[in-house]
Amino acid sequence: AISVDQLANRSQNAVYQAVQATQSGRRLAQQLTALERTARQIVILDDRSLLDAYAANRRQFEQAVAEFTNLPLDAEQKSALEDIVRGEAAVFAALSGAGPKSPQAGTAVERFIGLSEQAQALVARSNAQIDREVEAMRDTADRAQRITFWQLLALVPVVVFLVIGFSILITRPIRQIDAAIRRLGGGQLRVPVAVNGPQDLEQLGERL
């Protein structure tokens, strides 16, 4: 029962983390695409008014990053996420500081290609981590199954011992009562009736 309970809790956590990782990864990739689209429009159209739209997308991107940060990430995943955040911050600084038509802005926008690839790699690593967790749950389930099998196997002689023991405890006083009734029926009234066993059967023997 303990093994099954632990497996159920672990499965619940794994499913929750898988859903969160999938949703957060998809949202992160979508926000990077939206940022790249807006940034290229700013550079091509030379329209600084689009920086407001970029800032709005940037806030949603930060929310996606915060959601991803709440997941149980390893050191490599945290490092990759920090690289994505720093890369996007550099693009935003180039767009808002140097100006849309500056060479720095054009070069910075091209960084979105690498940032998107890093985001995809981050999502793939999260999926691999989930796969490892699923394999660990399978091992736990197999171990719980083996433990249950050996416990049941060890329980068989215990059950047999209990059955025999209780059979002796119950059948012996019943045989004593049966013998006493037969003696009484045969007229042997001087032989005392002795019943050893549960209290109610001993009281029945005393009445006889």
Side-chain angles (χ1 to χ4, degrees), residues 64-114:
V65 171
E67 293 177 359
F68 218 103
T69 305
N70 293 330
L71 297 174
L73 305 177
D74 55 24
E76 186 173 347
Q77 288 174 312
K78 291 180 180 179
S79 178
L81 187 60
E82 291 173 356
D83 290 341
I84 294 174
V85 173
R86 283 195 298 266
E88 189 280 329
V91 174
F92 179 70
L95 291 175
S96 58
K101 282 299 184 181
S102 64
Q104 295 87 347
T107 304
V109 170
E110 296 302 325
R111 295 186 62 176
F112 274 111
I113 299 176

Side-chain angles (χ1 to χ4, degrees), residues 72-152:
L73 305 177
D74 55 24
E76 186 173 347
Q77 288 174 312
K78 291 180 180 179
S79 178
L81 187 60
E82 291 173 356
D83 290 341
I84 294 174
V85 173
R86 283 195 298 266
E88 189 280 329
V91 174
F92 179 70
L95 291 175
S96 58
K101 282 299 184 181
S102 64
Q104 295 87 347
T107 304
V109 170
E110 296 302 325
R111 295 186 62 176
F112 274 111
I113 299 176
L115 294 178
S116 298
E117 293 177 353
Q118 286 180 301
Q120 294 297 332
L122 183 61
V123 173
R125 185 170 180 84
S126 298
N127 293 334
Q129 186 175 1
I130 294 171
D131 292 339
R132 289 194 298 270
E133 179 66 19
V134 171
E135 289 297 328
M137 283 192 300
R138 289 178 180 173
D139 295 338
T140 303
D142 292 340
R143 184 168 62 253
Q145 187 177 10
R146 289 194 299 270
I147 291 174
T148 303
F149 172 76
W150 288 112
Q151 286 177 339
L152 291 175

Side-chain angles (χ1 to χ4, degrees), residues 2-16:
I2 293 174
S3 299
V4 172
D5 184 64
Q6 291 176 349
L7 182 61
N9 293 333
R10 190 170 183 178
S11 300
Q12 182 178 3
N13 292 332
V15 170
Y16 176 77

Side-chain angles (χ1 to χ4, degrees), residues 26-44:
R26 185 186 301 115
R27 192 173 296 112
L28 183 66
Q30 289 175 351
Q31 294 307 319
L32 278 175
T33 302
L35 287 173
E36 180 182 4
R37 186 185 306 113
T38 306
R40 292 188 182 278
Q41 289 175 352
I42 293 173
V43 173
I44 294 173

Side-chain angles (χ1 to χ4, degrees), residues 40-55:
R40 292 188 182 278
Q41 289 175 352
I42 293 173
V43 173
I44 294 173
L45 301 177
D46 192 15
D47 188 358
R48 294 184 65 88
S49 63
L50 292 175
L51 284 173
D52 294 335
Y54 186 93

